[in-house]
Amino acid sequence: MSKKGNVKRVAYQKKQEEQGRKVVNWIFGVLVVLAIIFAVWTILMMS
C-alpha cells in the first residue's frame, strides 16, 4: 500500500471513530433523559 493510501485510511478510521463516539454519546444522553422522565412520571402516579 502506498503512503498516501495509508494516510487516507488512517484519517478515515479516525473520522469514523469520532463519529461513532458522538452517536454513542447521543444514545446515552437520550437514555438518561428517558430515565428521568420515567422517574418523574412514576412519582406523579404514586401520589
Side-chain angles (χ1 to χ4, degrees):
M1 220 176 182
S2 67
K3 280 187 174 183
K4 188 176 181 182
N6 196 23
V7 170
K8 283 185 177 182
R9 183 179 54 82
V10 170
Y12 180 75
Q13 284 178 339
K14 185 177 179 183
K15 182 180 174 185
Q16 288 293 97
E17 183 179 343
E18 290 171 1
Q19 287 178 344
R21 284 187 180 156
K22 283 183 186 179
V23 170
V24 170
N25 287 340
W26 271 102
I27 291 170
F28 279 127
V30 168
L31 287 175
V32 168
V33 169
L34 288 174
I36 292 170
I37 291 171
F38 179 73
V40 169
W41 177 76
T42 303
I43 291 169
L44 291 174
M45 287 294 156
M46 294 302 245
S47 60

